[in-house]
Amino acid sequence: MSNAKGTLRVHTQKRGPLTGDLFGIFFEDLNHAADGGLYAELVRNRSFEFDPIDNRDYHALTAWEKVERGGGKGEITVEDSKPVNLRNEHYAVIDVLAEGLGVGIMNLGFNSGISVREGESYLFSMYARREAGEEGPVVISIESTEGVVHAETAIAVNCSEWKKYEVKLTARATDHSSRLVMLTQGKGKLYVDMVSLFPEKTFLNRPNGLRPDIAELLADMKPKFMRFPGGCLVHDGSLNPEDRDSMYRWKNTLGDPAGRPPRRNNWGYHQTLGLGYYEYFQFCEDIGAKPIPVLPGGYDPHHQRIVPLEELGPWIDDALDLIEFAIGDISTEWGAVRAELGHPEPFGLEYIGIGNEEVGEPFFERYPYFHRAIKAKYPDMKVINSSGPFAAGGVYDRGWESAKEHGSDLVDEHYYQSPEWFLANYHRYDHFKADEPKVFLGEYASWGNTYYNALVEAAFMTGLEKNAHAVGLACYAPMLCNVDYMNWKPDMIWFNNHKVFGTPNYYVQKLFMNHQGDQLLHVEASGFGEAQAAPEKPIEGGIILYADGCSARFSEIRLVNNVTGEVREYESLAGEATAPGFKEGQPDAPDFLDLGVTAWNSYTLSCKAVRTRGDKGFVIHFGKMDDANHLFWEISGWQNQDSIISSKVAGRGSCLTHSMFSVETDKEYQLELQVSGRTVRTYIDGVLFNETEDKLPVIEPVYYSSTVEHATGDTILKIVNVQGECVAAEIHLKDFCKDGVTGEVFEMSGYLPAEENSFEAPEQVSPKTKSFQAESCNFAYEFPKQSITIFRLRPLTH
């Protein structure tokens, strides 16, 4: 136990800023978060629209197989000459060549197959037609992989024009690897499209609805808002809304799902858009979360696609129309569309985001046009600007400059960092001003789903809450991941086709949302001793030059001790470094140039570098202890747009600062890296590109915040102890009660830092709740080591 026994004085009548809509969630369709996830459709590739544009391994019959039984013979093809809908033009053709016991197709579903449960019903539908004069039943069944029939019915299809057929199937067994089988007899061709199977029980039993187990986990969080639909998929795409690889255009997601166009998801798979904007708004309403839609700003930073300023009008109209769709009455054009879809009452909308992780001047040239148009028509709408994908640097600063210049209500910040970074930057927002745009921390996470990751995030969240004067909104990301279709980790909630579990991170987010409170209370901490700062040490270790996604030539390599003036020349190492994949004709070319180790406190590394082949650039590792612990300077980065300084601790990276830079082939660059203590500066051709400090983590004695909930009058006190020992404290509730205090304690403690949840143990790491009572408003409490404790308190009445 810590030797110092501190005191937390909560001034229950000394109230500060409102917390507003601080803690919410973010839905982005990656990791198959929609199709094969939250969206309850069980059929994969239901409209035969999978295409190599979505994923090079896809084709129109992906997830479908031909079925021939009892001597039946047939051919399965895909046509587009007479579609159900011109926006969804492909359909399957089952050509029966020999009748036998049936010819048809089977769908493999997502993950291990289609999950059904005994006694539960499933709603099957399809569009179908036959050749003129042909008729016969189509047998629809749900079967095991061994052919055991779990449910079966027959549909008479005898029309030569497209017709929608719907039936209900009830499962006789539980099987999470089932197949949906469609068999026909007779002769000729059967045409089918939009083959769908939904559980009858969706979240709140809504048609075209959501998977209840995932949706209920989200509803239980009681988020204040939901940001959607992304993410990079918002702006990564062509400018033509009719292209399947277009930017995300919200109007394409409305109406009959059979008429929604296929779309390439930029995470490498297909989007049906069955989960569209109407469904997003409906879900937000169902769970009591304010919607925060994000629209493209007429610029794709991934591929440099730019809408000319004189053609920006339709993009701005999209934003205005969306607001009208959400809040307009039924006399308006888009309010009428909403009513026709089934929701005559407005959904409500207070926030709208323009752009996502924007980098590049074209976005900041276009943002003001959106901002002015929205504010002119809807002056109370809160408009959210973007500050790029990193926590600091030139793009980040440009976003904040734009926000302040144009009066943005919030600025969307994103960062994924190591736990050490979060501890080192706990006070990040302490000096942000209340009269400037507020922070929307739209994406953040530490790298991992362990208890320790969640613990550190909880500590950081107390800092977000304490700075509610400057931080308006915050949401963890990503939210959902299908375990068999992972694009990114960590994630808050993991699932397969029949199970779901929340991570320790989920339970921390849920605690903070369930117990956010409405208004900050002033808290004084005393007697806990000093924060535990890591011993200050210089950045020392190995220095290595790499070619990144290219072949590169390094020359005139020098290392200078800035204190003594000592110079090390590396003429013998100068030469080519070639990344794997670029060694054709030179298989023995080195991957890197190793300059050895330096223990200098202050030094300057300089060299000349030329990219001779490839499409990326250079990486310099420095302060390298091993592959899992070092700093590095990337010159080019992910899409050849970056100059980035990053640190890696225990294999977990943190971008410390970022600026834009692109490398050209056969152009020589003068690179210079200056290190002094823990301060790092980089120069390219004499121009300063990056400047940062690699801060070491500081462990506060306790992390805390307190709020009052207006509806109940409850005082809420959050305390996080990151230390590896218990902390004893006195809690003094000033001006709170006369006869004692009662309430509940919600606590996460007693877990190993590396513990995680799983399908087998979904609540291994989760909060425990206990009643609490004290005879005085001053009471003692011992906070377990590495614990998260939330008090919800009210005066004791006799």
Side-chain angles (χ1 to χ4, degrees):
M1 182 185 298
S2 172
N3 292 326
K5 186 173 184 178
T7 300
L8 289 174
R9 293 178 178 84
V10 182
H11 295 266
T12 63
Q13 302 306 314
K14 191 173 183 180
R15 301 185 177 186
L18 298 173
T19 58
D21 301 320
L22 182 55
F23 295 124
I25 58 177
F26 167 43
F27 181 91
E28 179 176 10
D29 189 359
L30 79 164
N31 303 318
H32 275 64
D35 298 327
L38 182 62
Y39 186 51
E41 174 65 78
L42 298 172
V43 175
R44 188 172 181 224
N45 190 16
R46 65 186 177 185
S47 55
F48 308 98
E49 295 292 345
F50 275 36
D51 189 276
I53 292 175
D54 311 326
N55 184 300
R56 63 185 179 184
D57 294 329
Y58 283 178
H59 52 81
L61 288 171
T62 292
W64 291 95
E65 291 183 357
K66 180 169 65 174
V67 180
E68 297 171 322
R69 291 184 176 167
K73 295 291 181 184
E75 294 294 336
I76 310 299
T77 56
V78 174
E79 295 181 1
D80 61 4
S81 59
K82 190 181 176 182
V84 175
N85 190 294
L86 291 175
R87 304 184 84 192
N88 236 330
E89 59 187 11
H90 295 98
Y91 52 91
V93 183
I94 303 171
D95 188 0
V96 180
L97 304 178
E99 185 174 4
L101 295 179
V103 175
I105 53 178
M106 111 179 15
N107 188 263
L108 307 181
F110 296 91
N111 301 88
S112 61
I114 291 172
S115 174
V116 295
R117 288 182 165 85
E118 182 179 0
E120 296 194 2
S121 295
Y122 299 85
L123 306 179
F124 172 86
S125 64
M126 70 173 177
Y127 286 83
R129 62 182 175 87
R130 287 191 182 274
E131 292 182 314
E134 299 292 341
E135 60 182 34
V138 178
V139 177
I140 311 299
S141 62
I142 299 172
E143 302 180 3
S144 74
T145 55
E146 291 80 25
V148 176
V149 177
H150 301 318
E152 185 177 50
T153 192
I155 299 173
V157 177
N158 51 21
C159 184
S160 62
E161 297 300 322
W162 288 110
K163 179 181 176 181
K164 187 175 183 180
Y165 298 86
E166 298 175 277
V167 293
K168 181 188 294 189
L169 298 160
T170 300
R172 296 191 289 267
T174 296
D175 183 355
H176 305 303
S177 302
S178 302
R179 306 305 193 233
L180 175 67
V181 180
M182 303 162 56
L183 286 176
T184 186
Q185 293 179 313
K187 297 180 181 179
K189 295 179 179 180
L190 173 68
Y191 304 85
V192 297
D193 197 6
M194 200 62 185
V195 180
S196 174
L197 187 69
F198 262 85
E200 184 177 45
K201 294 179 181 178
T202 59
F203 182 64
L204 300 185
N205 296 316
R206 296 201 176 278
N208 193 48
L210 307 181
R211 186 172 145 177
D213 55 350
I214 299 175
E216 285 162 8
L217 273 183
L218 299 175
D220 288 346
M221 298 177 79
K222 300 180 181 177
K224 294 289 188 180
F225 66 86
M226 186 175 86
R227 176 180 180 241
F228 60 87
C232 291
L233 65 83
V234 167
H235 63 193
D236 183 351
S238 78
L239 305 181
N240 182 356
E242 301 305 315
D243 291 344
R244 76 182 292 137
D245 64 342
S246 72
M247 295 186 193
Y248 196 101
R249 310 302 289 272
W250 72 272
K251 292 174 182 176
N252 285 341
T253 75
L254 300 182
D256 182 354
R260 301 180 191 182
R263 183 178 188 275
R264 172 196 71 97
N265 183 305
N266 75 318
W267 290 99
Y269 58 92
H270 177 86
Q271 276 184 296
T272 65
L273 300 180
L275 178 55
Y277 259 62
Y278 180 82
E279 290 80 16
Y280 285 128
F281 275 103
Q282 184 65 74
F283 183 55
C284 287
E285 182 178 87
D286 287 343
I287 66 174
K290 294 181 181 180
I292 303 184
V294 181
L295 298 182
Y299 171 55
D300 173 2
H302 301 274
H303 304 96
Q304 307 301 305
R305 300 176 177 120
I306 306 172
V307 178
L309 290 175
E310 63 273 16
E311 298 175 16
L312 206 55
W315 298 75
I316 296 170
D317 289 343
D318 268 2
L320 298 176
D321 292 346
L322 174 60
I323 297 171
E324 185 175 279
F325 175 77
I327 67 175
D329 63 44
I330 59 175
S331 67
T332 64
E333 177 185 0
W334 287 97
V337 171
R338 183 194 66 243
E340 185 180 345
L341 293 173
H343 202 287
E345 295 301 318
F347 282 116
L349 185 67
E350 297 180 21
Y351 304 91
I352 188 168
I354 304 299
N356 169 77
E357 292 188 357
E358 300 296 339
V359 295
E361 199 56 30
F363 171 78
F364 296 111
E365 291 172 351
R366 282 152 184 75
Y367 171 83
Y369 291 87
F370 289 87
H371 185 98
R372 287 194 293 265
I374 293 169
K375 288 292 187 180
K377 191 169 183 179
Y378 301 100
D380 294 330
M381 187 63 56
K382 296 182 177 68
V383 184
I384 303 169
N385 207 325
S386 170
S387 65
F390 303 111
V395 171
Y396 176 86
D397 292 341
R398 182 67 183 93
W400 273 95
E401 175 188 306
S402 171
K404 292 174 183 178
E405 178 183 356
H406 301 293
S408 303
D409 296 281
L410 298 107
V411 182
D412 188 12
E413 294 192 2
H414 295 181
Y415 41 81
Y416 298 89
Q417 311 281 55
S418 69
E420 291 76 14
W421 184 92
F422 280 95
L423 292 173
N425 288 272
Y426 172 70
H427 295 286
R428 174 180 175 87
Y429 298 113
D430 286 3
H431 302 294
F432 278 49
K433 297 179 180 178
D435 59 354
E436 292 182 343
K438 284 196 170 187
V439 174
F440 175 16
L441 185 47
E443 297 183 30
Y444 76 98
S446 65
W447 291 114
N449 285 138
T450 69
Y451 176 60
Y452 186 71
N453 291 103
L455 178 70
V456 169
E457 288 160 5
F460 191 77
M461 290 172 75
T462 65
L464 299 178
E465 189 168 276
K466 286 163 72 173
N467 285 300
H469 71 282
V471 181
L473 308 166
C475 49
Y476 181 98
M479 185 167 75
L480 300 176
C481 184
N482 186 317
V483 68
D484 291 328
Y485 304 96
M486 185 184 71
N487 302 115
W488 180 285
K489 61 181 302 187
D491 303 283
M492 190 169 71
I493 294 171
W494 291 78
F495 58 89
N496 55 27
N497 65 351
H498 64 287
K499 289 183 178 181
V500 61
F501 70 87
T503 60
N505 319 68
Y506 164 83
Y507 286 105
V508 162
Q509 295 290 325
K510 180 182 176 183
L511 281 174
F512 274 71
M513 290 178 208
N514 284 187
H515 308 290
Q516 177 183 304
D518 299 300
Q519 193 169 8
L520 287 179
L521 298 178
H522 180 65
V523 182
E524 294 176 345
S526 60
F528 286 102
E530 298 297 321
Q532 299 176 13
E536 195 67 31
K537 60 179 181 180
I539 297 170
E540 57 185 21
I543 301 175
I544 303 176
L545 313 182
Y546 291 86
D548 178 25
C550 70
S551 183
R553 183 173 61 252
F554 296 97
S555 61
E556 299 184 24
I557 307 168
R558 302 175 80 233
L559 186 67
V560 177
N561 187 315
N562 297 332
V563 177
T564 67
E566 180 183 345
V567 177
R568 295 178 184 173
E569 304 277 1
Y570 297 91
E571 292 182 13
S572 62
L573 288 177
E576 291 271 337
T578 303
F582 291 85
K583 297 192 178 188
E584 184 177 349
Q586 46 179 349
D588 297 328
D591 297 347
F592 54 84
L593 306 180
D594 190 342
L595 308 190
V597 174
T598 180
W600 292 344
N601 181 69
S602 178
Y603 57 86
T604 298
L605 171 71
S606 62
C607 68
K608 291 183 177 179
V610 179
R611 183 179 76 189
T612 57
R613 289 185 299 145
D615 56 7
K616 294 186 73 174
F618 327 108
V619 179
I620 299 176
H621 287 198
F622 58 103
K624 187 162 188 174
M625 299 294 104
D626 51 44
D627 287 341
N629 297 275
H630 57 268
L631 287 92
F632 54 102
W633 177 22
E634 289 182 273
I635 306 104
S636 169
W638 177 40
Q639 292 186 318
N640 192 22
Q641 298 188 69
D642 307 318
S643 175
I644 296 177
I645 299 294
S646 298
S647 70
K648 186 174 280 190
V649 179
R652 299 174 295 212
S654 300
C655 173
L656 304 181
T657 186
H658 162 271
S659 292
M660 295 192 70
F661 183 77
S662 297
V663 175
E664 300 175 25
T665 298
D666 294 328
K667 181 175 181 179
E668 185 176 76
Y669 299 96
Q670 178 69 37
L671 308 180
E672 186 172 300
L673 169 70
Q674 294 182 0
V675 177
S676 180
R678 302 207 68 81
T679 298
V680 181
R681 298 181 181 85
T682 68
Y683 296 81
I684 303 174
D685 294 334
V687 177
L688 177 66
F689 267 79
N690 305 104
E691 183 171 11
T692 188
E693 179 186 0
D694 180 29
K695 297 179 181 178
L696 295 174
V698 176
I699 308 299
E700 303 285 335
V702 288
Y703 300 82
Y704 59 87
S705 60
S706 184
T707 58
V708 61
E709 187 174 79
H710 291 159
T712 61
D714 288 354
T715 289
I716 300 167
L717 178 61
K718 304 179 180 75
I719 299 99
V720 180
N721 176 17
V722 175
Q723 298 182 70
E725 56 186 10
C726 298
V727 173
E730 288 282 338
I731 309 298
H732 292 181
L733 302 176
K734 309 295 288 184
D735 303 317
F736 185 67
C737 60
K738 296 180 180 178
D739 299 321
V741 62
T742 188
E744 300 81 38
V745 176
F746 306 86
E747 194 160 82
M748 296 178 71
S749 64
Y751 303 114
L752 297 174
E755 279 193 73
E756 300 186 54
N757 291 338
S758 65
F759 291 116
E760 295 72 28
E763 297 181 352
Q764 175 71 24
V765 180
S766 60
K768 304 297 187 293
T769 305
K770 59 186 178 183
S771 298
F772 180 82
Q773 187 168 311
E775 294 303 315
S776 167
C777 288
N778 300 339
F779 58 88
Y781 197 89
E782 183 177 291
F783 297 98
K785 68 177 184 179
Q786 296 177 326
S787 63
I788 302 158
T789 305
I790 297 181
F791 292 94
R792 181 177 273 272
L793 302 172
R794 58 201 70 93
L796 181 64
T797 57
H798 295 287

